[in-house]
Amino acid sequence: MDPARHIHAVRVYYEDTDAAGVVYYANYLRFAERARSEMLHAMGFSASRMTAESGVAIVVRWCEVDYIAPARLDDTLEIHTRVLSVEGAKLNLEQIVRCGGRDLTRLRLRLVSVSREGRPVRLPADLHDALNTLVQSGETE
Amino acid sequence: MDPARHIHAVRVYYEDTDAAGVVYYANYLRFAERARSEMLHAMGFSASRMTAESGVAIVVRWCEVDYIAPARLDDTLEIHTRVLSVEGAKLNLEQIVRCGGRDLTRLRLRLVSVSREGRPVRLPADLHDALNTLVQSGETE
Amino acid sequence: MDPARHIHAVRVYYEDTDAAGVVYYANYLRFAERARSEMLHAMGFSASRMTAESGVAIVVRWCEVDYIAPARLDDTLEIHTRVLSVEGAKLNLEQIVRCGGRDLTRLRLRLVSVSREGRPVRLPADLHDALNTLVQSGETE
Amino acid sequence: MDPARHIHAVRVYYEDTDAAGVVYYANYLRFAERARSEMLHAMGFSASRMTAESGVAIVVRWCEVDYIAPARLDDTLEIHTRVLSVEGAKLNLEQIVRCGGRDLTRLRLRLVSVSREGRPVRLPADLHDALNTLVQSGETE
């Protein structure tokens, strides 16, 4: 078990699929965001509490998605999330959607923590430290 | 042309369909809300301005949906919206999703205007009057 | 623990909410469908296998939704699903979305099993029997 | 008017926004797909007819998204689509989501035409030629 990698499982429902019989391409970004939320919760944080307490939100500034193979109705997917780096307001992640031991979709994302006015602000210190611990445990693998 | 009925056209895209090859059942509620928004805009109102100016939002309290026949990818749908009644904070609507002269889905809805705290409040007077005119032009048909 | 009632938990993510800060009204139908899928899986069935093996799909013909109170970001919701009756091709369900011991949304639905051509056909016998057992265990409560 | 650029307008509805008050990040991919569908329709093609006639579907293999500024409820967005290159089964596009003369989101995508079995196949000749004309009219600007 890799401490630097968070795994979240989702089932593919009708709502996720399209008339081509596969998961609609935008919905992998929904799966990825669910996985990031669950990773935050597993670390003791949540977006709603962070916004209420410090007015800070973490938003996606950039993402890149490789669609390798399609997921289908009733598949159980695993979203593997790895924090690549964290620095100031910036966070780099890799997220891989897997099914049956195979990579279906690979995402790389740059996230930024922003104030209510949308300006970049440093990540809350406790979250920054918790994320940084993940990065370092990943590096020493 | 019936002044009491607003018509909004939407195209069915991949995002609207599911692996059964038809429009996913929840998405007719999205189409219906688009049509209600467009009706408001056509009358000179908008949800965002109403919320900013008076803190009032119009929310769905109840709806009933009859699914008669499915819509498919690339279909052009017409959503016919008719205001049945308006009184105080309450609004009753009928919305019918049609394709090629045929009813696919029929919705009846009860909406309520609420304050920021979620309490029912009277509809803004100008919107109430504009909606009431629609009701009456429908009755005298 | 009530054997006639299936409970499925979902977390509310950003994708489920809207600019009013609450879960978008159509998305309760997505939650309800996830819960029905999970109930099928828990009983040893799945939509994809049923379609592949017998060409039968279960579709929603009618639903009614009462919106009582809104769900918000990061809420954990429970969807309680109860089979009210099953007869031939028809299935009546009640589904209640709860949070913190409180009903947020109540749905009643009529579902029908249909052939690939969209015509009503009897539910597969094993599924019919399994559902009927649920109905009866509910009646004898 | 630039013949190499297709423009499609969409209004932002509640369904597109999230609890942060802005358009949810995955939904720009929905807008982009709507614009690609409308571009196909404007050229006399459609995904549903193409799949029915030749079994060919055009799927996204890779995309990259820059999120520059957020869109909000009731905004009217323009999606500008430009075909960068077309060769064999491959298609490169740039899509820019604009509002009030400002770029909000920029996407680059690689699409591939695939057979029913998911294998890359050449684009239908008439579509290839029509797309190629767009590329060349863009180059000679």
Side-chain angles (χ1 to χ4, degrees), chain A residues 32-58:
Chain A
E33 197 261 335
R34 292 182 204 174
R36 296 194 302 273
S37 289
E38 292 298 333
M39 189 181 75
L40 273 188
H41 281 282
M43 295 165 67
F45 297 89
S46 85
S48 54
R49 208 167 54 239
M50 203 158 62
T51 302
E53 287 173 3
S54 60
V56 168
I58 300 179

Side-chain angles (χ1 to χ4, degrees), chain B residues 8 11 13-16 30-31 33-35 37-38 41-42 46-49 51 57-58 73-74, chain D residues 8 11 13-16 30-31 33-35 37-38 41-42 46-49 51 57-58 73-74:
Chain B
H8 176 62
R11 174 112 64 188
Y13 301 115
Y14 270 116
E15 61 174 296
D16 305 312
R30 291 169 46 200
F31 296 161
E33 197 260 334
R34 292 183 203 174
S37 289
E38 292 297 334
H41 280 282
S46 86
S48 54
R49 209 168 53 239
T51 302
I58 300 179
L73 185 63
D74 287 323
Chain D
H8 175 61
R11 175 111 63 188
Y13 301 115
Y14 270 117
E15 62 175 295
D16 305 312
R30 291 169 47 201
F31 297 161
E33 197 260 336
R34 293 182 202 173
S37 290
E38 292 298 334
H41 280 282
S46 85
S48 54
R49 208 167 55 238
T51 302
I58 301 179
L73 184 64
D74 288 322

Side-chain angles (χ1 to χ4, degrees), chain C residues 19-93:
Chain C
V22 298
V23 168
Y24 182 66
Y25 86 125
N27 291 341
Y28 293 95
L29 274 67
R30 293 169 44 201
F31 296 161
E33 197 261 335
R34 292 183 204 174
R36 297 194 302 272
S37 289
E38 291 299 333
M39 190 181 75
L40 273 188
H41 280 282
M43 295 164 68
F45 298 89
S46 85
S48 54
R49 208 168 54 240
M50 203 158 62
T51 301
E53 287 174 5
S54 60
V56 168
I58 301 179
V59 301
V60 177
R61 267 290 188 267
W62 170 85
C63 74
E64 184 182 32
V65 192
D66 283 297
Y67 297 93
I68 302 155
R72 294 174 193 280
L73 184 64
D74 287 322
D75 281 351
T76 299
L77 309 180
E78 281 185 351
I79 297 106
H80 294 240
T81 302
R82 182 188 290 272
V83 184
L84 300 178
S85 69
V86 50
E87 197 197 322
K90 277 184 232 159
L91 195 54
N92 284 293
L93 294 183

Side-chain angles (χ1 to χ4, degrees), chain A:
Chain A
M1 176 63 196
D2 173 359
R5 178 164 295 206
H6 176 268
I7 301 180
H8 175 61
V10 299
R11 175 112 63 188
V12 176
Y13 301 114
Y14 270 118
E15 61 174 296
D16 304 313
T17 60
D18 68 21
V22 298
V23 168
Y24 182 66
Y25 87 124
N27 291 341
Y28 293 95
L29 273 67
R30 290 169 47 201
F31 297 162
E33 197 261 335
R34 292 182 204 174
R36 296 194 302 273
S37 289
E38 292 298 333
M39 189 181 75
L40 273 188
H41 281 282
M43 295 165 67
F45 297 89
S46 85
S48 54
R49 208 167 54 239
M50 203 158 62
T51 302
E53 287 173 3
S54 60
V56 168
I58 300 179
V59 300
V60 177
R61 267 292 188 266
W62 170 85
C63 74
E64 185 182 32
V65 193
D66 283 296
Y67 296 94
I68 301 155
R72 294 174 193 279
L73 185 63
D74 287 322
D75 280 352
T76 298
L77 309 180
E78 281 185 352
I79 298 105
H80 294 238
T81 302
R82 183 188 288 272
V83 183
L84 300 179
S85 70
V86 49
E87 197 198 322
K90 279 185 230 158
L91 196 52
N92 285 293
L93 294 183
E94 178 194 66
Q95 297 192 281
I96 301 179
V97 180
R98 312 197 76 204
C99 183
R102 195 180 165 202
D103 291 4
L104 302 188
T105 311
R106 287 189 211 112
L107 301 96
R108 282 186 305 148
L109 304 104
R110 188 171 317 124
L111 294 99
V112 179
S113 59
V114 294
S115 67
R116 274 187 233 282
E117 296 73 35
R119 274 194 298 271
V121 289
R122 297 182 71 82
L123 281 162
D126 48 357
L127 178 58
H128 179 279
D129 292 351
L131 290 167
N132 209 28
T133 303
L134 290 185
V135 177
Q136 288 172 343
S137 66
E139 283 169 352
T140 58
E141 266 175 273

